[in-house]
Amino acid sequence: MTLCEVCRSKASALAQLDASWVLIGPDDPMRGYVCLVFSRHAIELHDLTDAEGTALMRDIRNVSAAIAAIVHPVKMNYEIHGNTAPHLHVHFFPRHSGDQFEGGPIDPRAARRPAYAPGEFERFRERLRAALAGARPDVPPQPTLRTERLLLRAFSPKDAAVVQRLAGAREVADTTLTIPHPYLDGMAESWIAAQAGEWERQERLTLAITAEALGVIGAIGLHLRLVHRRAELGYWVGRPFWNRGYATEAARAVIAFGFEALGLNRIHASHFTRNPASGRVMVKAGMRLEGTFRQHVLRWDRPEDLTQYAILKTDLPRD
């Protein structure tokens, strides 16, 4: 069987597990697709010994867990085949709400390709490799971003006092939907303590906006929806630092990071319509006005109109 095409593919495998090896490629039919190939020439499950069957199931579970941690599917579809090649193999198809086969069976031959945005397959490959090697696949370090005047970094517990002081100003809370007022003792500590886990789960990125000689002056972040390759941008700046362009400078850096490092396709943001200064930040950061949602939310029991802006990756200037 030295001429077996499947055996020859083993050299390009991403990883070799207990009983099988892992194949992926940029032309695969869906984001996060994996093919798991049993090492020995066998075409039926009942051809396996008890030990081989146990090892194969362990490999299937490990691959499934790794895919789920990286691409966060709504569910997984599995197909086991052995009659088209002299190796049992398992196809893993991560399913997402709104995917091209929603409501019906998957047909890889009809799949729209490429399934990956530029650079996205490479990120998936490295994270899957790390996961299958025993590393945690979804915990890259929180980024540190530098701009001309700012350093955007992860918050630390020692920042809690300044966060409470700045975010606790009524003028700041009044322009946001989620900052509590009054800002009580312990709230800043709890908010900061939650951020590492939110990033590990790829739910949210939150960074401190800091300026030399000023320290922490605000916060900025992305509420991530990686299943749809989009995120919501949010930010606040302490009242003493308004009207200096800090929010715009930070927003531009975070938007660039979202597109370049996270593979996002869309970043959107909204502001209370009565706060046009925030809209000017969004425009200067490259976002486009999309519309106004009338009385869309309640803030302190008061209906608020929200004006929404967004930027797509294709809106970025080309070099």
Side-chain angles (χ1 to χ4, degrees), residues 194-215:
Q195 291 168 11
E198 291 171 342
W199 173 247
E200 287 177 359
R201 296 188 297 273
Q202 295 285 271
E203 295 172 351
R204 191 183 301 267
L205 169 67
T206 304
L207 298 175
I209 305 173
T210 72
E212 190 173 0
L214 296 175

Side-chain angles (χ1 to χ4, degrees), residues 2-313:
T2 57
L3 298 180
C4 172
E5 290 292 334
V6 180
C7 286
R8 286 160 59 176
S9 72
K10 186 175 182 179
S12 59
L14 178 78
Q16 186 161 358
L17 307 180
D18 288 349
S20 52
W21 67 83
V22 174
L23 298 176
I24 60 172
D27 196 42
D28 286 340
M30 303 179 76
R31 286 191 310 120
Y33 165 87
V34 169
C35 182
L36 184 72
V37 181
F38 185 66
S39 295
R40 184 170 66 80
H41 292 121
I43 62 174
E44 303 291 353
L45 284 171
H46 57 258
D47 290 338
L48 308 185
T49 67
D50 288 348
E52 288 176 332
T54 299
L56 177 60
M57 182 54 67
R58 184 167 54 247
D59 289 352
I60 291 172
R61 291 180 60 204
N62 289 342
V63 170
S64 180
I67 296 171
I70 297 168
V71 301
H72 308 291
V74 173
K75 59 176 290 188
M76 296 279 289
N77 286 168
Y78 311 88
E79 293 185 6
I80 302 177
H81 295 277
N83 59 335
T84 57
H87 290 265
L88 276 167
H89 54 283
V90 184
H91 300 282
F92 296 78
F93 296 100
R95 302 303 301 268
H96 302 286
S97 178
D99 71 35
Q100 60 184 300
F101 298 111
E102 185 174 29
I106 295 170
D107 182 357
R109 294 169 297 181
R112 295 189 297 268
R113 291 178 168 88
Y116 294 96
E120 188 178 26
F121 171 74
E122 289 75 15
R123 286 188 295 272
F124 172 69
R125 180 184 61 200
E126 294 312 309
R127 294 177 69 187
L128 183 61
R129 190 198 311 274
L132 296 177
R136 299 181 67 181
D138 55 343
V139 195
Q142 289 178 268
T144 298
L145 310 178
R146 296 182 183 273
T147 69
E148 182 178 353
R149 299 179 297 167
L150 303 174
L151 176 69
L152 311 181
R153 59 160 175 82
F155 278 96
S156 73
K158 67 182 180 182
D159 298 319
V162 68
V163 168
Q164 183 178 11
R165 175 170 55 83
L166 294 178
R170 184 178 177 85
E171 301 97 317
V172 173
D174 185 52
T175 62
T176 71
L177 184 60
T178 58
I179 294 179
H181 188 82
Y183 206 101
L184 303 177
D185 290 348
M187 286 182 172
E189 288 83 354
S190 296
W191 179 64
I192 291 170
Q195 291 168 11
E198 291 171 342
W199 173 247
E200 287 177 359
R201 296 188 297 273
Q202 295 285 271
E203 295 172 351
R204 191 183 301 267
L205 169 67
T206 304
L207 298 175
I209 305 173
T210 72
E212 190 173 0
L214 296 175
V216 175
I217 63 172
I220 190 165
L222 293 171
H223 188 186
L224 302 170
R225 289 290 182 268
L226 296 183
V227 167
H228 301 289
R229 302 184 203 171
R230 73 169 187 254
E232 181 176 10
L233 175 72
Y235 50 83
W236 59 265
V237 173
R239 180 67 182 87
F241 313 108
W242 288 3
N243 302 315
R244 302 191 195 180
Y246 291 137
T248 299
E249 191 170 331
R252 287 171 175 163
V254 170
I255 288 171
F257 175 81
F259 287 134
E260 295 168 7
L262 299 179
L264 299 178
N265 177 63
R266 170 184 166 88
I267 298 174
H268 62 99
S270 59
H271 67 88
F272 293 156
T273 304
R274 61 178 170 82
N275 179 29
S278 189
R280 290 192 289 273
V281 169
M282 297 171 193
V283 171
K284 291 176 183 177
M287 293 182 151
R288 299 183 184 181
L289 175 66
E290 291 194 330
T292 297
F293 298 93
R294 297 184 300 157
Q295 299 188 9
H296 192 63
V297 295
L298 289 178
R299 180 55 164 160
W300 296 332
D301 294 323
R302 178 177 60 194
E304 294 278 2
D305 294 348
L306 284 187
T307 301
Q308 177 154 295
Y309 290 78
I311 182 171
L312 304 180
K313 187 167 186 179

